[in-house]
Short mmCIF file of all heavy atoms in Angstrom, two decimals:
data_model
loop_
_atom_site.label_atom_id
_atom_site.label_comp_id
_atom_site.label_asym_id
_atom_site.label_seq_id
_atom_site.Cartn_x
_atom_site.Cartn_y
_atom_site.Cartn_z
N ASN A 1 116.00 104.70 131.07
CA ASN A 1 115.84 103.64 132.06
C ASN A 1 117.21 103.12 132.46
O ASN A 1 117.96 102.62 131.64
CB ASN A 1 114.98 102.51 131.46
CG ASN A 1 114.55 101.50 132.53
OD1 ASN A 1 114.73 101.73 133.71
ND2 ASN A 1 113.98 100.40 132.08
N SER A 2 117.55 103.29 133.72
CA SER A 2 118.88 102.90 134.18
C SER A 2 119.00 101.42 134.49
O SER A 2 120.10 100.91 134.68
CB SER A 2 119.25 103.72 135.43
OG SER A 2 118.31 103.48 136.47
N GLN A 3 117.88 100.72 134.56
CA GLN A 3 117.92 99.29 134.85
C GLN A 3 117.16 98.52 133.77
O GLN A 3 116.20 99.03 133.20
CB GLN A 3 117.29 98.99 136.21
CG GLN A 3 118.05 99.63 137.38
CD GLN A 3 117.43 99.29 138.72
OE1 GLN A 3 116.31 98.78 138.78
NE2 GLN A 3 118.14 99.58 139.79
N ALA A 4 117.59 97.32 133.51
CA ALA A 4 116.96 96.49 132.49
C ALA A 4 115.53 96.15 132.89
O ALA A 4 115.29 95.70 134.01
CB ALA A 4 117.75 95.21 132.25
N SER A 5 114.57 96.38 131.98
CA SER A 5 113.17 96.07 132.26
C SER A 5 112.87 94.63 131.88
O SER A 5 113.53 94.04 131.02
CB SER A 5 112.25 97.01 131.47
OG SER A 5 112.47 98.35 131.83
N GLU A 6 111.86 94.07 132.52
CA GLU A 6 111.47 92.70 132.22
C GLU A 6 110.76 92.63 130.87
O GLU A 6 109.93 93.50 130.56
CB GLU A 6 110.53 92.16 133.31
CG GLU A 6 111.21 91.90 134.64
CD GLU A 6 112.26 90.81 134.55
OE1 GLU A 6 112.02 89.82 133.82
OE2 GLU A 6 113.31 90.95 135.19
N PRO A 7 111.06 91.63 130.06
CA PRO A 7 110.37 91.47 128.77
C PRO A 7 108.88 91.25 128.98
O PRO A 7 108.45 90.65 129.97
CB PRO A 7 111.02 90.23 128.17
CG PRO A 7 112.33 90.08 128.88
CD PRO A 7 112.10 90.60 130.26
N LEU A 8 108.09 91.77 128.02
CA LEU A 8 106.65 91.56 128.08
C LEU A 8 106.32 90.15 127.60
O LEU A 8 107.12 89.52 126.88
CB LEU A 8 105.94 92.61 127.22
CG LEU A 8 106.09 94.05 127.76
CD1 LEU A 8 105.56 95.05 126.76
CD2 LEU A 8 105.39 94.20 129.09
N PRO A 9 105.13 89.62 127.95
CA PRO A 9 104.81 88.22 127.64
C PRO A 9 104.82 87.87 126.16
O PRO A 9 105.17 86.75 125.80
CB PRO A 9 103.39 88.06 128.22
CG PRO A 9 103.30 89.08 129.29
CD PRO A 9 104.10 90.26 128.78
N SER A 10 104.44 88.82 125.27
CA SER A 10 104.40 88.48 123.85
C SER A 10 104.65 89.72 123.01
O SER A 10 104.63 90.85 123.52
CB SER A 10 103.03 87.88 123.48
OG SER A 10 102.04 88.90 123.46
N ILE A 11 104.90 89.51 121.71
CA ILE A 11 105.08 90.62 120.79
C ILE A 11 103.84 91.52 120.77
O ILE A 11 103.95 92.75 120.69
CB ILE A 11 105.37 90.10 119.36
CG1 ILE A 11 106.68 89.31 119.32
CG2 ILE A 11 105.41 91.25 118.36
CD1 ILE A 11 107.91 90.15 119.55
N ALA A 12 102.66 90.92 120.87
CA ALA A 12 101.41 91.69 120.87
C ALA A 12 101.37 92.67 122.03
O ALA A 12 100.88 93.79 121.90
CB ALA A 12 100.20 90.75 120.93
N ASP A 13 101.91 92.28 123.19
CA ASP A 13 101.95 93.17 124.34
C ASP A 13 102.92 94.33 124.09
O ASP A 13 102.66 95.46 124.51
CB ASP A 13 102.37 92.40 125.59
CG ASP A 13 101.33 91.37 126.01
OD1 ASP A 13 100.15 91.73 126.10
OD2 ASP A 13 101.70 90.21 126.23
N VAL A 14 104.02 94.06 123.41
CA VAL A 14 104.98 95.11 123.07
C VAL A 14 104.32 96.12 122.14
O VAL A 14 104.40 97.34 122.37
CB VAL A 14 106.23 94.51 122.39
CG1 VAL A 14 107.17 95.62 121.94
CG2 VAL A 14 106.95 93.56 123.35
N VAL A 15 103.64 95.63 121.11
CA VAL A 15 102.99 96.52 120.16
C VAL A 15 101.90 97.34 120.84
O VAL A 15 101.77 98.55 120.61
CB VAL A 15 102.39 95.71 118.98
CG1 VAL A 15 101.61 96.63 118.05
CG2 VAL A 15 103.51 95.00 118.22
N ALA A 16 101.12 96.71 121.71
CA ALA A 16 100.04 97.41 122.41
C ALA A 16 100.59 98.53 123.29
O ALA A 16 99.96 99.58 123.44
CB ALA A 16 99.23 96.42 123.26
N LEU A 17 101.78 98.32 123.85
CA LEU A 17 102.40 99.32 124.70
C LEU A 17 102.98 100.48 123.89
O LEU A 17 102.84 101.66 124.27
CB LEU A 17 103.52 98.67 125.53
CG LEU A 17 104.34 99.61 126.43
CD1 LEU A 17 103.46 100.22 127.52
CD2 LEU A 17 105.52 98.86 127.03
N VAL A 18 103.61 100.17 122.76
CA VAL A 18 104.36 101.17 122.01
C VAL A 18 103.50 101.93 120.99
O VAL A 18 103.67 103.14 120.81
CB VAL A 18 105.55 100.50 121.29
CG1 VAL A 18 106.28 101.49 120.40
CG2 VAL A 18 106.50 99.89 122.31
N LYS A 19 102.57 101.26 120.34
CA LYS A 19 101.82 101.83 119.22
C LYS A 19 101.14 103.17 119.54
O LYS A 19 101.14 104.08 118.70
CB LYS A 19 100.79 100.82 118.71
CG LYS A 19 100.05 101.26 117.45
CD LYS A 19 99.19 100.09 116.92
CE LYS A 19 98.38 100.51 115.70
NZ LYS A 19 97.25 101.39 116.07
N PRO A 20 100.56 103.38 120.74
CA PRO A 20 99.92 104.68 121.02
C PRO A 20 100.89 105.87 120.98
O PRO A 20 100.44 107.01 120.87
CB PRO A 20 99.35 104.49 122.43
CG PRO A 20 99.14 103.01 122.56
CD PRO A 20 100.31 102.41 121.83
N SER A 21 102.18 105.60 121.05
CA SER A 21 103.18 106.66 121.05
C SER A 21 103.80 106.89 119.69
O SER A 21 104.64 107.79 119.54
CB SER A 21 104.28 106.33 122.06
OG SER A 21 103.75 106.17 123.36
N VAL A 22 103.43 106.11 118.69
CA VAL A 22 103.99 106.23 117.34
C VAL A 22 103.05 107.07 116.49
O VAL A 22 101.83 106.88 116.53
CB VAL A 22 104.22 104.85 116.70
CG1 VAL A 22 104.85 104.99 115.31
CG2 VAL A 22 105.13 104.00 117.60
N VAL A 23 103.61 108.00 115.72
CA VAL A 23 102.80 108.91 114.91
C VAL A 23 103.12 108.75 113.43
O VAL A 23 104.21 108.30 113.07
CB VAL A 23 103.01 110.38 115.33
CG1 VAL A 23 102.66 110.56 116.80
CG2 VAL A 23 104.44 110.84 115.04
N ALA A 24 102.15 109.12 112.60
CA ALA A 24 102.37 109.19 111.15
C ALA A 24 102.67 110.64 110.80
O ALA A 24 102.02 111.57 111.29
CB ALA A 24 101.13 108.72 110.40
N ILE A 25 103.69 110.84 109.98
CA ILE A 25 104.10 112.18 109.56
C ILE A 25 103.89 112.31 108.06
O ILE A 25 104.39 111.47 107.29
CB ILE A 25 105.57 112.45 109.92
CG1 ILE A 25 105.76 112.39 111.44
CG2 ILE A 25 106.04 113.79 109.36
CD1 ILE A 25 107.20 112.51 111.89
N ASN A 26 103.14 113.34 107.65
CA ASN A 26 102.89 113.59 106.23
C ASN A 26 103.43 114.96 105.86
O ASN A 26 103.25 115.93 106.60
CB ASN A 26 101.40 113.48 105.90
CG ASN A 26 100.87 112.07 106.07
OD1 ASN A 26 100.38 111.71 107.15
ND2 ASN A 26 100.97 111.26 105.04
N THR A 27 104.08 115.04 104.73
CA THR A 27 104.71 116.29 104.31
C THR A 27 104.30 116.65 102.89
O THR A 27 103.89 115.79 102.11
CB THR A 27 106.25 116.16 104.35
OG1 THR A 27 106.67 115.16 103.40
CG2 THR A 27 106.73 115.78 105.73
N THR A 28 104.44 117.94 102.57
CA THR A 28 104.27 118.39 101.19
C THR A 28 105.48 119.22 100.82
O THR A 28 106.04 119.95 101.65
CB THR A 28 103.00 119.25 101.01
OG1 THR A 28 103.09 120.42 101.84
CG2 THR A 28 101.76 118.46 101.37
N VAL A 29 105.88 119.09 99.57
CA VAL A 29 107.01 119.85 99.06
C VAL A 29 106.75 120.20 97.61
O VAL A 29 106.15 119.41 96.87
CB VAL A 29 108.33 119.05 99.21
CG1 VAL A 29 108.27 117.74 98.45
CG2 VAL A 29 109.52 119.89 98.77
N THR A 30 107.16 121.38 97.19
CA THR A 30 106.99 121.80 95.80
C THR A 30 108.23 121.45 95.00
O THR A 30 109.35 121.77 95.41
CB THR A 30 106.74 123.32 95.70
OG1 THR A 30 105.54 123.63 96.43
CG2 THR A 30 106.58 123.75 94.26
N VAL A 31 108.03 120.77 93.88
CA VAL A 31 109.15 120.41 93.01
C VAL A 31 108.90 121.02 91.63
O VAL A 31 107.77 121.30 91.25
CB VAL A 31 109.30 118.88 92.90
CG1 VAL A 31 109.63 118.27 94.24
CG2 VAL A 31 108.02 118.25 92.34
N SER A 32 109.98 121.23 90.91
CA SER A 32 109.87 121.83 89.58
C SER A 32 110.27 120.82 88.51
O SER A 32 111.22 120.07 88.68
CB SER A 32 110.78 123.06 89.48
OG SER A 32 110.32 124.08 90.35
N SER A 33 109.51 120.83 87.41
CA SER A 33 109.80 119.99 86.26
C SER A 33 109.95 120.89 85.03
O SER A 33 109.15 121.81 84.83
CB SER A 33 108.66 118.98 86.03
OG SER A 33 108.77 118.40 84.75
N PRO A 34 110.96 120.64 84.20
CA PRO A 34 111.14 121.48 83.01
C PRO A 34 109.98 121.35 82.02
O PRO A 34 109.79 122.21 81.17
CB PRO A 34 112.43 120.93 82.40
CG PRO A 34 112.59 119.57 82.97
CD PRO A 34 111.99 119.62 84.33
N PHE A 35 109.16 120.29 82.15
CA PHE A 35 108.05 120.06 81.23
C PHE A 35 106.70 120.41 81.85
O PHE A 35 105.82 120.95 81.19
CB PHE A 35 108.03 118.61 80.76
CG PHE A 35 109.32 118.16 80.13
CD1 PHE A 35 110.20 117.34 80.83
CD2 PHE A 35 109.68 118.58 78.85
CE1 PHE A 35 111.39 116.94 80.26
CE2 PHE A 35 110.87 118.18 78.28
CZ PHE A 35 111.73 117.37 78.98
N LEU A 36 106.53 120.11 83.15
CA LEU A 36 105.23 120.30 83.81
C LEU A 36 105.21 121.52 84.73
O LEU A 36 104.16 121.92 85.19
CB LEU A 36 104.88 119.05 84.63
CG LEU A 36 104.79 117.74 83.83
CD1 LEU A 36 104.51 116.57 84.77
CD2 LEU A 36 103.71 117.84 82.74
N GLY A 37 106.35 122.10 84.98
CA GLY A 37 106.42 123.24 85.89
C GLY A 37 106.33 122.81 87.34
O GLY A 37 106.55 121.66 87.68
N PRO A 38 106.01 123.76 88.24
CA PRO A 38 105.94 123.42 89.66
C PRO A 38 104.81 122.42 89.96
O PRO A 38 103.73 122.52 89.38
CB PRO A 38 105.70 124.75 90.35
CG PRO A 38 105.55 125.78 89.30
CD PRO A 38 105.71 125.13 87.96
N ALA A 39 105.08 121.51 90.86
CA ALA A 39 104.08 120.52 91.29
C ALA A 39 104.31 120.22 92.77
O ALA A 39 105.40 120.37 93.29
CB ALA A 39 104.20 119.24 90.46
N THR A 40 103.23 119.81 93.42
CA THR A 40 103.31 119.48 94.84
C THR A 40 103.41 117.97 95.03
O THR A 40 102.61 117.21 94.48
CB THR A 40 102.07 120.00 95.61
OG1 THR A 40 102.02 121.42 95.48
CG2 THR A 40 102.15 119.63 97.07
N GLU A 41 104.42 117.56 95.77
CA GLU A 41 104.59 116.14 96.09
C GLU A 41 104.32 115.92 97.56
O GLU A 41 104.60 116.78 98.40
CB GLU A 41 106.02 115.69 95.75
CG GLU A 41 106.28 115.53 94.27
CD GLU A 41 107.63 114.88 94.00
OE1 GLU A 41 108.39 114.67 94.97
OE2 GLU A 41 107.92 114.60 92.82
N GLU A 42 103.77 114.74 97.86
CA GLU A 42 103.50 114.38 99.25
C GLU A 42 104.44 113.27 99.69
O GLU A 42 104.84 112.42 98.90
CB GLU A 42 102.05 113.93 99.42
CG GLU A 42 101.03 115.03 99.10
CD GLU A 42 99.60 114.57 99.30
OE1 GLU A 42 99.38 113.35 99.43
OE2 GLU A 42 98.71 115.44 99.34
N GLY A 43 104.81 113.32 100.94
CA GLY A 43 105.67 112.29 101.51
C GLY A 43 105.10 111.78 102.81
O GLY A 43 104.27 112.44 103.45
#
């Protein structure tokens, strides 16, 4: 945006505008333990 946009009326309006574009990311990774061996961790 090359020009400054007008502020929205409230924080709730900002959240309502932005939230549909925000995503949750979940990952899995294998880790090794000298006692338990390989295990899967989630992030």
Side-chain angles (χ1 to χ4, degrees):
N1 191 10
S2 60
Q3 297 181 348
S5 299
E6 289 296 322
L8 294 171
S10 74
I11 297 292
D13 294 311
V14 175
V15 175
L17 176 65
V18 175
K19 186 172 177 287
S21 301
V22 182
V23 302
I25 297 174
N26 294 92
T27 64
T28 61
V29 60
T30 300
V31 297
S32 294
S33 165
F35 304 104
L36 301 177
T40 299
E41 286 188 354
E42 297 181 346

